[in-house]
Amino acid sequence: MTVLLQTEDLTKRFGGLTAVRGVSFTLSFGEVVGLLGPNGSGKTTLLNMISGAHRATSGQINFEGHPIQNLRPDQISKQGIARTFQLVKVLPTMTVLENTICGLAFGSSRMWGAEAEGKAMEKLHQVGLADKAKQPAATLTYIDSKRLELARALAADPHLLLLDEWLSGLTPEELQEGIKLIKSIRDAGASILIVEHIMSAIRELCPRCIVMNAGEKIADGLTGDVLQQQDVIEAYLGAPHHA
Amino acid sequence: MSKKFGLFGGLLGLLAFAPLVFEDYGLGLMIGIVSYAILAQAWSLFSGPTRYISLATVAFYGVGAYVVAVLNEDLAYPLILLIAVGTGLVMSLAVGIATLRLAGVYFVIFSFGLAELVRQLITWYEVNVSGTLGRYIFLPFEARHIYWMLLVLAGVTFAIAWWIRNSRTGMALRVIGEDEDVASHVGINITRTKLLLFAISASLMTLVGAIQAPRWVYIEPSIVFNPTVSFLTVIMALLGGPHRLLGPICGVIPLFLLFEWLSANFPNHYSILLGGVFILIVFLLPKGVLEFVDRFRLGGAAK
Amino acid sequence: MLTTSLVIGLVLGGTYALAALGLTMQYGVSRIMNLAYGEFVIVAAFATFVLVSTLGLDPLLSLLLVGPAAFVISYAVYSVLMAPLVKRSRKGGNLEIDSILVTFGLLFLIQGILLVIFGADFQSYSYLNVAVDLFGVTIAANQVLAFGLATVLGIGLFLLIRFTRWGLILRAVAHRPDNAPLVAINVDRVAQLAFAFGGMLAAQAGVVISMFQTFTATAGVVFTMKALIVVIMGGVGNFLGALIAGLILGLVEAFVSAYLDPGLTLASTYLIFLVLLLWRPQGLFGKSVS
């Protein structure tokens, strides 16, 4: 399998706090990898370094063979990486369609005009928002905002999709719909890195997963095996007390 | 669309006949209105979508006028205008590079003092280096020539504004105004986009000053760097709605006439009234200026 | 010449620091970007001018009158102009932009009033205009007094903020306005008091400045600019930073005016500001923001 994304000894410090410490992993073309860990374990920071929102303190990130650790988010987006945000970020006064066109107009695809509109509508169909295309994004429900963010991220057909807790905060029914949606994207051949809390979702979506704790990678392998590992269970449930 | 263009062109053509209709005073008013229409439109071009409130209009306007005052006897007129635009452009890039990467408030502060800085620098230069503080402008232009030139510039400005609104850059600006995180992650180079727009906006303002310069005949820094120009531009653009193509002009006509009337009838209390009207406008826009702007942006689609 | 510039620089710097402390109070604690700040300085200078020239009052006494009066007036200005903006900012308005715009209007309003009453000429009054010898430098007694006052007021404020309960509350609101209510701090009330206090400091700076400098009705903008630059240099909400940055600015101005040209002082101020924005936008003493 060809390597799509590779990080090497990636570290991020905020003042005295080391949020991510020496994390190395690879993600192959067409692979869907889950990234999990307790709150504050450094998952989102790791994702932010890949998307360029944070600059790594040290270490390397290679994407399709090129180093990207020193690029700005807009440059990384042009390389073909797209993301969603942990706290949903849609552009409230723009319409759903315009929000989606944003994903096409500036990044790797640079589409505009009727062509961009057609492509955006196609993506809105894919996430099930086509009938709301003309509404301002401010009027969407929570799940629809999440769908819209996904449509925007998918719009430019990214080579790598980064999902930051995209499934969190949904009702059980919405969660099932959401999982189905991501599955359909996965089955279309996308490469995805999924940051997620929800174990059941990871089990269903990701054949492989990486677990972080206190800024370090503590496990990396087939999801079924990893979730059995003693230190992973301890990281989630706390160390067993010895009487 | 072509119908709108025809209407726009027709209107400009009609306005071009104003010098045949109006006497000196009326034409003076028309020059003022067209000037402020350009200034307010240029201001809105940048400050509308990005929400970076620029208080530096007169810094560029004054520089334009001063370049003409300095060079009017030495160079061909078109060349002078070119140099004026170039000066405004360089100045805007220098200011933009220093401040546009930062939070909006730094930009506001910098733009706030820019006119005063330029005024003092020019005064210093004139007193110490060239030795003449005031300058005369001898250009063979009458009021109607200046009016026509301004009218052409207004046409160009509105065309630029229209083009940017419908272009990728216009969308980029709107995204930046809404959420810079999203903007950078969909591939927008934020600093470059802001810088580009600020430079276009500043160049247009510089040109207004340059074209208007011959109206004064005699120029000195305290005349052309009058802070009320920045001030009026901001209120006119805000009242009209800086996000709509025709918004700025809607603000310009009533306010220009109001202030013209105030300055004619209450010359000594002009500044007080100006301040009062401004405060009133900010308060009258019920949920804050930006909310007001956004409500219109949402249009009828809002709940 | 060197020591002269040094002493004059410290005198100027002391008053800038004092003015900047008031602004950092208004912007750092109340979150009001007050573009009419310099007008408060100038109004106090004119008020002192009137008290001195018509009633023959001592400028020091005027300090005791003008300061508290400015506190009351600023308190009222906050109630009338700022409080509604703060209130509507909770419903989605943007306090920073609204306050910039309203105080921009206020600037013209106050300036206009001053112009009507006093005209556009430079004003000054003569006070303690005798030469004294200080460290081998001949300097006007009023400048020595000004520096002394600025130092006393500045240090007094610093101690107040550092060691009193009220100072602790101010710092809490400056650093974490969102969390302050969790420890039972009424942020609105603190903001209003801080704004009034900031206005009082502006007025005190104005009185001190009037003792040794000429002033005009239109000079407010320059004071606002200088105070803003000092605040940003020192780091927003950083009181000690403002103190040090004020002194630096005063020294730079004194040296530029002595060795280069008095007409270039504002330009030098701006140059410092530009370099600072490019190099350390968080301020000389601010914490780095990522």
Side-chain angles (χ1 to χ4, degrees):
Chain A
M1 281 200 290
T2 353
V3 173
L4 181 67
L5 177 79
Q6 179 194 24
T7 74
E8 230 169 273
D9 209 15
L10 208 54
T11 297
K12 177 69 191 179
R13 279 189 215 99
F14 296 104
L17 176 88
T18 307
V20 172
R21 193 191 307 268
V23 171
S24 305
F25 75 93
T26 59
L27 189 149
S28 298
F29 189 78
E31 201 178 12
V32 176
V33 176
L35 180 58
L36 59 164
N39 276 331
S41 59
K43 309 175 302 271
T44 293
T45 308
L46 183 65
L47 201 76
N48 281 341
M49 283 191 280
I50 298 170
S51 81
H54 289 153
R55 187 154 294 190
T57 311
S58 65
Q60 275 229 327
I61 310 171
N62 288 313
F63 182 65
E64 297 181 326
H66 307 289
I68 60 164
Q69 69 273 13
N70 291 322
L71 300 184
R72 293 188 308 268
D74 56 302
Q75 295 168 318
I76 289 173
S77 148
K78 289 191 170 72
Q79 303 277 320
I81 297 181
R83 72 170 292 175
T84 65
F85 294 90
Q86 194 175 351
L87 301 166
V88 189
K89 285 176 186 281
V90 293
L91 309 167
T93 69
M94 294 167 82
T95 66
V96 168
L97 181 62
E98 285 174 321
N99 264 273
T100 317
I101 291 176
C102 287
L104 291 160
F106 311 102
S108 48
S109 67
R110 285 194 70 79
M111 259 182 223
W112 192 244
E115 188 191 12
E117 231 167 86
K119 183 75 181 289
M121 280 311 294
E122 190 185 301
K123 296 297 171 186
L124 287 176
H125 271 294
Q126 193 181 345
V127 301
L129 276 181
D131 52 330
K132 295 180 177 140
K134 296 288 176 199
Q135 287 182 19
T139 62
L140 292 182
T141 60
Y142 184 67
I143 171 91
D144 280 348
S145 305
K146 292 214 148 205
R147 286 181 210 266
L148 178 55
E149 244 202 340
L150 190 62
R152 184 175 69 210
L154 286 174
D157 294 318
H159 304 185
L160 173 64
L161 179 61
L162 308 172
L163 298 180
D164 194 357
E165 300 195 13
W166 191 81
L167 293 163
S168 70
L170 302 182
T171 65
E173 298 86 61
E174 289 170 343
L175 183 64
Q176 285 319 306
E177 278 181 60
I179 290 176
K180 221 160 79 188
L181 184 55
I182 294 180
K183 259 187 188 162
S184 73
I185 296 164
R186 177 191 74 183
D187 296 341
S191 314
I192 316 177
L193 182 63
I194 303 179
V195 168
E196 201 51 75
H197 270 321
I198 305 164
M199 287 290 190
S200 61
I202 293 277
R203 277 207 181 85
E204 265 192 78
L205 291 169
C206 313
R208 182 186 137 207
C209 76
I210 295 168
V211 185
M212 289 183 69
N213 189 30
E216 293 183 58
K217 183 172 104 168
I218 57 168
D220 183 349
L222 292 175
T223 303
D225 301 344
V226 164
L227 297 183
Q228 299 292 313
Q229 249 175 264
Q230 191 58 39
D231 48 354
V232 171
I233 295 166
E234 279 174 17
Y236 266 92
L237 304 174
H241 293 281
H242 298 285
Chain B
M1 197 51 69
S2 63
K3 199 171 150 193
K4 270 190 191 165
F5 267 121
L7 207 69
F8 180 61
L11 188 68
L12 277 182
L14 206 67
L15 282 171
F17 288 105
L20 304 179
V21 182
F22 291 110
E23 297 294 313
D24 282 355
Y25 178 73
L27 192 57
L29 285 185
M30 290 298 285
I31 288 178
I33 288 176
V34 175
S35 297
Y36 275 108
I38 302 170
L39 290 176
Q41 184 72 62
W43 187 90
S44 307
L45 215 55
F46 170 73
S47 296
T50 60
R51 304 171 179 189
Y52 277 57
I53 305 290
S54 167
L55 307 177
T57 305
V58 82
F60 298 108
Y61 174 86
V63 160
Y66 227 83
V67 167
V68 174
V70 171
L71 299 174
N72 78 89
E73 292 176 70
D74 304 326
L75 290 175
Y77 184 67
L79 206 59
I80 299 175
L81 288 188
L82 218 64
I83 292 174
V85 174
T87 315
L89 191 71
V90 170
M91 220 167 88
S92 64
L93 289 178
V95 174
I97 288 169
T99 57
L100 289 178
R101 298 166 305 136
L102 307 170
V105 66
Y106 292 91
F107 174 81
V108 177
I109 292 168
F110 206 93
S111 72
F112 176 59
L114 189 65
E116 183 67 16
L117 170 74
V118 177
R119 191 176 69 81
Q120 290 203 7
L121 274 181
I122 291 180
T123 308
W124 176 83
Y125 180 85
E126 295 282 68
V127 169
N128 291 282
V129 184
S130 69
T132 50
L133 186 56
R135 285 172 182 273
Y136 289 91
I137 297 174
F138 300 110
L139 283 169
F141 295 130
E142 292 166 32
R144 59 196 163 103
H145 299 124
I146 290 169
Y147 174 73
W148 282 325
M149 281 191 273
L150 285 171
L151 208 56
V152 171
L153 185 61
V156 171
T157 306
F158 277 81
I160 291 176
W162 181 85
W163 176 77
I164 286 176
R165 281 172 74 84
N166 294 295
S167 75
R168 207 192 297 266
T169 311
M171 179 175 248
L173 276 171
R174 283 174 68 195
V175 181
I176 291 171
E178 296 241 357
D179 192 321
E180 294 207 352
D181 276 336
V182 171
S184 65
H185 279 95
V186 295
I188 296 168
N189 185 334
I190 295 178
T191 307
R192 203 178 61 192
T193 309
K194 284 184 199 163
L195 201 58
L196 175 77
L197 261 288
F198 184 54
I200 293 176
S201 154
S203 303
L204 290 167
M205 292 169 175
T206 314
L207 262 179
V208 177
I211 294 175
Q212 272 215 346
R215 287 274 287 164
W216 280 293
V217 184
Y218 174 79
I219 275 184
E220 59 175 51
S222 59
I223 298 176
V224 290
F225 291 99
N226 179 355
T228 46
V229 174
S230 303
F231 188 72
L232 287 178
T233 304
V234 176
I235 12 182
M236 287 170 175
L238 285 179
L239 185 73
H243 56 288
R244 291 178 298 167
L245 192 57
L246 295 178
I249 186 84
C250 297
V252 166
I253 296 172
L255 281 177
F256 182 84
L257 293 176
L258 171 68
F259 288 123
E260 194 62 30
W261 183 78
L262 287 177
S263 75
N265 291 284
F266 309 95
N268 295 323
H269 301 85
Y270 181 59
S271 183
I272 302 175
L273 295 167
L274 203 72
V277 169
F278 192 56
I279 294 173
L280 212 63
I281 287 177
V282 179
F283 274 93
L284 282 182
L285 307 180
K287 282 172 154 183
V289 174
L290 291 181
E291 190 68 17
F292 177 74
V293 170
D294 289 342
R295 204 179 55 206
F296 273 96
R297 268 209 248 174
L298 278 172
K303 295 177 271 192
Chain C
M1 186 131 145
L2 182 78
T3 13
T4 312
S5 305
L6 203 68
V7 172
I8 292 176
L10 287 176
V11 173
L12 277 177
T15 50
Y16 292 160
L18 193 60
L21 285 173
L23 190 74
T24 204
M25 194 79 103
Q26 293 190 339
Y27 184 56
V29 179
S30 322
R31 313 275 146 188
I32 303 287
M33 175 49 76
N34 184 1
L35 291 185
Y37 186 78
E39 269 57 37
F40 284 76
V41 175
I42 293 297
V43 166
F46 273 105
T48 309
F49 169 74
V50 170
L51 288 174
V52 171
S53 57
T54 62
L55 299 179
L57 213 65
D58 190 287
L60 276 176
L61 269 173
S62 144
L63 190 65
L64 294 179
L65 281 177
V66 173
F71 185 91
V72 173
I73 292 169
S74 307
Y75 194 90
V77 165
Y78 188 95
S79 302
V80 175
L81 290 181
M82 304 306 159
L85 298 181
V86 173
K87 207 167 155 196
R88 77 187 190 185
S89 76
R90 301 218 175 84
K91 289 182 275 172
N94 185 321
L95 180 60
E96 194 167 274
I97 291 179
D98 280 355
S99 67
I100 283 171
L101 293 173
V102 163
T103 56
F104 194 43
L106 192 60
L107 182 166
F108 279 81
L109 192 78
I110 298 176
Q111 207 181 73
I113 295 174
L114 287 177
L115 281 171
V116 168
I117 303 177
F118 298 101
D121 296 334
F122 280 93
Q123 301 285 0
S124 66
Y125 55 87
S126 179
Y127 175 63
L128 285 183
N129 204 1
V130 288
V132 292
D133 192 75
L134 194 73
F135 309 118
V137 179
T138 314
I139 185 169
N142 53 29
Q143 295 197 336
V144 181
L145 179 68
F147 181 67
L149 280 175
T151 314
V152 168
L153 291 170
I155 290 176
L157 179 69
F158 177 71
L159 294 176
L160 186 82
I161 286 164
R162 200 82 227 163
F163 296 109
T164 65
R165 195 182 132 74
W166 198 63
L168 181 71
I169 292 173
L170 281 183
R171 280 181 287 145
V173 176
H175 289 297
R176 289 270 183 279
D178 304 337
N179 293 355
L182 299 178
V183 288
I185 293 173
N186 181 343
V187 176
D188 285 343
R189 189 158 169 69
V190 173
Q192 179 156 21
L193 285 173
F195 186 84
F197 205 78
M200 184 170 93
L201 286 168
Q204 288 175 338
V207 175
V208 170
I209 285 164
S210 75
M211 290 179 182
F212 67 98
Q213 265 194 359
T214 56
F215 41 89
T216 71
T218 50
V221 174
V222 174
F223 281 108
T224 309
M225 253 344 268
K226 284 177 182 167
L228 278 170
I229 290 174
V230 170
V231 167
I232 290 171
M233 267 174 86
V236 174
N238 185 334
F239 296 97
L240 189 59
L243 215 58
I244 296 170
L247 288 177
I248 293 175
L249 196 70
L251 286 171
V252 169
E253 275 194 15
F255 277 92
V256 166
S257 120
Y259 291 94
L260 283 172
D261 190 300
L264 290 178
T265 49
L266 188 70
S268 64
T269 310
Y270 247 78
L271 193 68
I272 298 175
F273 190 36
L274 251 179
V275 171
L276 189 80
L277 286 183
L278 291 170
W279 172 56
R280 267 184 85 84
Q282 71 275 24
L284 288 176
F285 312 101
K287 288 197 187 69
S288 115
V289 278
S290 71

